[in-house]
Amino acid sequence: MGTRSTRALIPLILFLALTAHDCARLVAQDSITDYYNPLVYRRLDITVRLAKDGWATVEMGVTIRNEGDVLVVPGYGTVPLNLRGGNSTVEVLRSIDPDTGRKVEAVVLEVNGSKVVRYAMWDPLRPGEEKRVELAFRVSGVLARGLLFDEFGMTIGPLSNRVINGGLRVVPPPGEYITYSEPPGDGEWDLSGLGPGRTMRVNVEFGPIPFRSPIRGYILLWGGVAALALILILVRIRKRQRG
Protein backbone atom coordinates (compact mmCIF):
# COMPACT_ATOMS: atom_id res chain seq x y z
CA MET A 1 0.00 0.00 0.00
CA GLY A 2 1.11 3.55 -0.57
CA THR A 3 3.10 5.46 1.95
CA ARG A 4 3.94 9.10 2.42
CA SER A 5 6.40 11.15 4.40
CA THR A 6 5.37 13.77 6.92
CA ARG A 7 6.94 17.10 7.72
CA ALA A 8 8.86 17.93 10.87
CA LEU A 9 6.82 19.73 13.52
CA ILE A 10 9.69 21.44 15.36
CA PRO A 11 13.39 22.00 14.62
CA LEU A 12 16.09 19.79 16.04
CA ILE A 13 13.86 16.75 15.78
CA LEU A 14 14.88 13.43 14.49
CA PHE A 15 11.65 12.63 12.66
CA LEU A 16 11.30 8.94 12.81
CA ALA A 17 8.07 7.30 11.49
CA LEU A 18 7.08 3.82 10.40
CA THR A 19 4.53 3.78 7.57
CA ALA A 20 2.40 1.07 6.02
CA HIS A 21 3.87 -1.42 3.58
CA ASP A 22 2.96 -1.78 -0.08
CA CYS A 23 0.08 -4.25 -0.35
CA ALA A 24 -1.29 -5.27 -3.77
CA ARG A 25 -0.36 -1.84 -5.17
CA LEU A 26 -3.21 0.05 -3.53
CA VAL A 27 -3.57 3.63 -4.72
CA ALA A 28 -2.39 6.23 -2.17
CA GLN A 29 -5.19 7.77 -0.15
CA ASP A 30 -5.62 11.31 1.16
CA SER A 31 -5.93 9.86 4.66
CA ILE A 32 -4.07 6.81 5.91
CA THR A 33 -7.17 5.74 7.79
CA ASP A 34 -9.41 5.74 4.70
CA TYR A 35 -8.85 2.08 3.88
CA TYR A 36 -8.70 -1.23 5.69
CA ASN A 37 -5.15 -2.26 6.57
CA PRO A 38 -4.72 -5.93 7.55
CA LEU A 39 -1.11 -5.40 8.67
CA VAL A 40 -0.30 -4.51 12.27
CA TYR A 41 2.90 -4.01 14.23
CA ARG A 42 2.60 -6.96 16.57
CA ARG A 43 5.83 -5.66 18.12
CA LEU A 44 7.64 -2.37 17.53
CA ASP A 45 10.79 -1.70 19.57
CA ILE A 46 12.97 1.37 19.01
CA THR A 47 16.20 2.14 20.86
CA VAL A 48 18.10 5.39 20.29
CA ARG A 49 21.67 5.51 21.61
CA LEU A 50 23.13 9.00 21.66
CA ALA A 51 26.80 9.88 21.46
CA LYS A 52 28.66 13.00 22.57
CA ASP A 53 29.71 13.72 18.99
CA GLY A 54 26.04 14.36 18.08
CA TRP A 55 25.46 11.05 16.31
CA ALA A 56 22.65 8.68 17.19
CA THR A 57 22.46 4.95 16.60
CA VAL A 58 18.87 3.87 16.00
CA GLU A 59 18.07 0.20 16.50
CA MET A 60 14.65 -0.97 15.42
CA GLY A 61 12.91 -4.32 15.74
CA VAL A 62 9.72 -4.66 13.69
CA THR A 63 7.32 -7.61 13.77
CA ILE A 64 4.63 -7.34 11.08
CA ARG A 65 1.52 -9.50 11.46
CA ASN A 66 -1.21 -10.16 8.90
CA GLU A 67 -4.57 -9.98 10.68
CA GLY A 68 -6.54 -10.18 7.45
CA ASP A 69 -8.23 -13.10 5.76
CA VAL A 70 -6.11 -13.20 2.58
CA LEU A 71 -2.46 -13.59 1.63
CA VAL A 72 -0.54 -10.29 1.82
CA VAL A 73 2.87 -9.25 0.46
CA PRO A 74 4.01 -6.37 2.70
CA GLY A 75 6.48 -4.92 0.14
CA TYR A 76 8.37 -1.76 1.08
CA GLY A 77 8.51 -0.24 4.54
CA THR A 78 9.96 3.21 5.15
CA VAL A 79 11.49 5.21 7.98
CA PRO A 80 11.33 8.94 7.04
CA LEU A 81 13.93 11.10 8.81
CA ASN A 82 13.63 14.89 8.84
CA LEU A 83 16.81 16.25 10.36
CA ARG A 84 18.15 19.62 11.44
CA GLY A 85 19.51 21.65 8.54
CA GLY A 86 18.70 18.92 6.05
CA ASN A 87 22.39 18.00 5.69
CA SER A 88 22.60 15.18 8.20
CA THR A 89 24.21 11.91 7.24
CA VAL A 90 22.38 8.58 7.49
CA GLU A 91 24.32 5.32 7.43
CA VAL A 92 22.58 1.93 7.32
CA LEU A 93 24.47 -0.39 9.68
CA ARG A 94 22.31 -3.49 9.67
CA SER A 95 19.17 -4.77 7.94
CA ILE A 96 18.43 -8.45 8.42
CA ASP A 97 15.72 -11.03 8.80
CA PRO A 98 16.64 -12.42 12.26
CA ASP A 99 14.75 -15.67 11.67
CA THR A 100 16.79 -16.66 8.60
CA GLY A 101 19.87 -14.45 8.96
CA ARG A 102 19.34 -13.13 5.44
CA LYS A 103 20.17 -9.53 4.65
CA VAL A 104 17.16 -7.34 3.94
CA GLU A 105 17.31 -4.76 1.16
CA ALA A 106 17.67 -1.28 2.73
CA VAL A 107 18.67 2.01 1.09
CA VAL A 108 18.71 5.70 2.01
CA LEU A 109 16.67 7.91 -0.34
CA GLU A 110 16.07 11.66 -0.61
CA VAL A 111 12.33 12.40 -0.69
CA ASN A 112 10.99 15.99 -0.59
CA GLY A 113 14.09 17.22 1.20
CA SER A 114 14.00 14.46 3.82
CA LYS A 115 16.12 11.34 4.02
CA VAL A 116 14.18 8.08 4.03
CA VAL A 117 15.47 4.63 5.00
CA ARG A 118 13.54 2.14 2.85
CA TYR A 119 13.57 -1.60 3.49
CA ALA A 120 11.89 -4.49 1.68
CA MET A 121 9.74 -7.38 2.90
CA TRP A 122 8.67 -9.51 -0.06
CA ASP A 123 7.82 -12.80 1.65
CA PRO A 124 4.04 -13.39 1.53
CA LEU A 125 2.22 -13.49 4.86
CA ARG A 126 -0.67 -15.87 5.31
CA PRO A 127 -3.52 -14.86 7.63
CA GLY A 128 -2.16 -14.81 11.19
CA GLU A 129 1.46 -15.10 10.03
CA GLU A 130 4.27 -12.79 11.20
CA LYS A 131 7.58 -11.56 9.84
CA ARG A 132 10.43 -9.85 11.65
CA VAL A 133 12.98 -7.31 10.46
CA GLU A 134 15.87 -5.76 12.40
CA LEU A 135 17.31 -2.42 11.30
CA ALA A 136 20.14 -0.29 12.63
CA PHE A 137 21.43 3.01 11.26
CA ARG A 138 23.43 6.02 12.38
CA VAL A 139 22.27 9.63 12.04
CA SER A 140 24.42 12.73 12.50
CA GLY A 141 23.55 16.07 14.04
CA VAL A 142 20.61 15.04 16.22
CA LEU A 143 21.57 16.91 19.41
CA ALA A 144 20.80 20.55 20.20
CA ARG A 145 23.83 21.77 22.14
CA GLY A 146 23.66 23.98 25.23
CA LEU A 147 26.05 25.31 27.85
CA LEU A 148 25.55 22.39 30.23
CA PHE A 149 22.52 20.63 28.81
CA ASP A 150 21.86 19.04 25.43
CA GLU A 151 18.44 18.23 23.99
CA PHE A 152 17.16 15.50 21.73
CA GLY A 153 13.71 15.34 20.16
CA MET A 154 11.95 12.69 18.11
CA THR A 155 8.47 12.26 16.68
CA ILE A 156 7.19 8.77 15.92
CA GLY A 157 4.33 8.70 13.42
CA PRO A 158 1.84 9.22 12.08
CA LEU A 159 1.69 5.46 11.67
CA SER A 160 -0.26 3.56 9.08
CA ASN A 161 -0.23 0.33 11.07
CA ARG A 162 -1.65 -0.18 14.54
CA VAL A 163 0.91 -1.00 17.24
CA ILE A 164 -0.12 -3.94 19.43
CA ASN A 165 2.94 -3.89 21.67
CA GLY A 166 5.96 -1.63 21.53
CA GLY A 167 8.36 0.61 23.31
CA LEU A 168 10.79 3.49 22.81
CA ARG A 169 14.08 3.74 24.71
CA VAL A 170 16.45 6.70 24.62
CA VAL A 171 19.96 6.16 26.00
CA PRO A 172 21.92 9.35 26.88
CA PRO A 173 25.56 9.87 25.89
CA PRO A 174 28.15 8.22 28.17
CA GLY A 175 28.63 10.15 31.39
CA GLU A 176 25.37 12.10 31.02
CA TYR A 177 21.98 11.73 32.64
CA ILE A 178 18.40 12.47 31.71
CA THR A 179 17.49 15.65 33.59
CA TYR A 180 14.12 16.35 32.00
CA SER A 181 11.77 14.64 29.57
CA GLU A 182 8.44 15.37 27.95
CA PRO A 183 6.34 13.33 28.43
CA PRO A 184 7.80 12.38 31.83
CA GLY A 185 9.76 9.14 31.83
CA ASP A 186 12.97 7.45 32.83
CA GLY A 187 14.16 7.03 29.26
CA GLU A 188 11.53 4.47 28.28
CA TRP A 189 8.06 5.06 26.84
CA ASP A 190 5.25 2.67 25.94
CA LEU A 191 4.13 2.64 22.30
CA SER A 192 1.47 -0.02 22.78
CA GLY A 193 -1.89 0.96 21.38
CA LEU A 194 -0.53 3.69 19.11
CA GLY A 195 -3.06 3.67 16.30
CA PRO A 196 -3.08 4.61 12.61
CA GLY A 197 -2.69 8.35 12.06
CA ARG A 198 -1.43 8.98 15.59
CA THR A 199 1.95 10.32 16.64
CA MET A 200 4.11 10.32 19.73
CA ARG A 201 6.62 13.11 20.35
CA VAL A 202 9.41 12.84 22.89
CA ASN A 203 11.82 15.55 24.01
CA VAL A 204 14.70 14.65 26.30
CA GLU A 205 17.30 16.86 28.01
CA PHE A 206 20.67 15.53 29.18
CA GLY A 207 23.22 16.91 31.59
CA PRO A 208 26.36 15.95 33.55
CA ILE A 209 24.55 16.03 36.92
CA PRO A 210 22.36 13.07 37.98
CA PHE A 211 19.19 14.90 38.95
CA ARG A 212 15.65 15.03 37.60
CA SER A 213 13.63 18.22 37.37
CA PRO A 214 10.01 19.01 36.45
CA ILE A 215 11.36 21.85 34.29
CA ARG A 216 14.23 22.06 31.83
CA GLY A 217 17.71 22.28 33.30
CA TYR A 218 18.71 25.31 31.26
CA ILE A 219 15.78 27.22 32.77
CA LEU A 220 17.03 26.31 36.24
CA LEU A 221 20.57 27.26 35.26
CA TRP A 222 19.83 30.69 33.85
CA GLY A 223 17.14 31.32 36.45
CA GLY A 224 19.71 30.62 39.15
CA VAL A 225 22.24 32.90 37.46
CA ALA A 226 19.67 35.68 37.26
CA ALA A 227 18.68 35.19 40.92
CA LEU A 228 22.33 35.27 42.02
CA ALA A 229 22.98 38.41 39.99
CA LEU A 230 19.94 40.08 41.58
CA ILE A 231 21.11 39.15 45.08
CA LEU A 232 24.57 40.58 44.41
CA ILE A 233 23.06 43.81 43.10
CA LEU A 234 20.84 44.15 46.18
CA VAL A 235 23.78 43.47 48.50
CA ARG A 236 25.85 46.12 46.73
CA ILE A 237 23.02 48.66 46.92
CA ARG A 238 22.59 48.01 50.64
CA LYS A 239 26.32 48.44 51.26
CA ARG A 240 26.26 51.78 49.48
CA GLN A 241 23.27 52.91 51.51
CA ARG A 242 25.06 52.00 54.72
CA GLY A 243 28.21 53.76 53.54
Side-chain angles (χ1 to χ4, degrees):
M1 64 185 63
T3 61
R4 64 177 185 180
S5 299
T6 55
R7 298 180 179 177
L9 300 179
I10 59 175
L12 309 179
I13 279 185
L14 166 61
F15 185 83
L16 187 156
L18 292 174
T19 65
H21 296 258
D22 288 346
C23 175
R25 294 295 184 181
L26 291 177
V27 179
Q29 306 289 321
D30 292 334
S31 170
I32 60 176
T33 59
D34 285 344
Y35 51 83
Y36 170 68
N37 182 3
L39 298 176
V40 299
Y41 294 114
R42 205 271 297 170
R43 188 79 204 178
L44 172 61
D45 294 301
I46 302 172
T47 299
V48 182
R49 303 182 188 276
L50 301 171
K52 291 184 177 180
D53 60 4
W55 283 77
T57 300
V58 182
E59 301 169 349
M60 185 180 308
V62 180
T63 301
I64 295 291
R65 180 181 178 88
N66 178 13
E67 291 196 339
D69 298 325
V70 297
L71 192 73
V72 174
V73 178
Y76 285 121
T78 60
V79 184
L81 304 173
N82 198 305
L83 310 172
R84 179 178 60 172
N87 295 319
S88 298
T89 301
V90 181
E91 299 177 2
V92 178
L93 303 178
R94 185 176 72 256
S95 55
I96 64 170
D97 178 340
D99 295 322
T100 64
R102 292 183 303 176
K103 184 177 180 179
V104 174
E105 174 193 347
V107 295
V108 179
L109 306 175
E110 189 83 19
V111 179
N112 297 326
S114 299
K115 289 183 173 63
V116 174
V117 178
R118 189 188 71 183
Y119 62 94
M121 188 182 292
W122 296 112
D123 293 334
L125 296 180
R126 295 186 297 271
E129 192 174 13
E130 300 177 351
K131 192 70 176 178
R132 293 196 299 161
V133 172
E134 291 183 357
L135 298 171
F137 44 91
R138 295 180 72 230
V139 187
S140 67
V142 299
L143 291 181
R145 298 294 189 179
L147 182 61
L148 287 179
F149 302 96
D150 300 332
E151 288 193 23
F152 167 76
M154 176 171 65
T155 299
I156 301 176
L159 302 180
S160 294
N161 298 342
R162 178 168 53 96
V163 179
I164 305 299
N165 293 290
L168 167 65
R169 181 184 177 210
V170 177
V171 181
E176 296 191 19
Y177 306 87
I178 296 177
T179 56
Y180 170 85
S181 66
E182 182 182 352
D186 58 357
E188 297 186 8
W189 293 268
D190 188 11
L191 299 178
S192 302
L194 196 63
R198 295 180 56 191
T199 63
M200 180 176 182
R201 183 168 63 185
V202 174
N203 290 289
V204 184
E205 181 187 72
F206 309 96
I209 304 173
F211 81 98
R212 297 298 296 272
S213 170
I215 61 176
R216 285 180 168 82
Y218 76 87
I219 296 179
L220 290 177
L221 173 64
W222 293 113
V225 170
L228 178 60
L230 179 60
I231 292 173
L232 293 176
I233 291 173
L234 293 176
V235 170
R236 188 170 183 179
I237 291 175
R238 178 165 294 185
K239 285 183 178 180
R240 287 184 176 180
Q241 289 175 345
R242 289 177 178 179

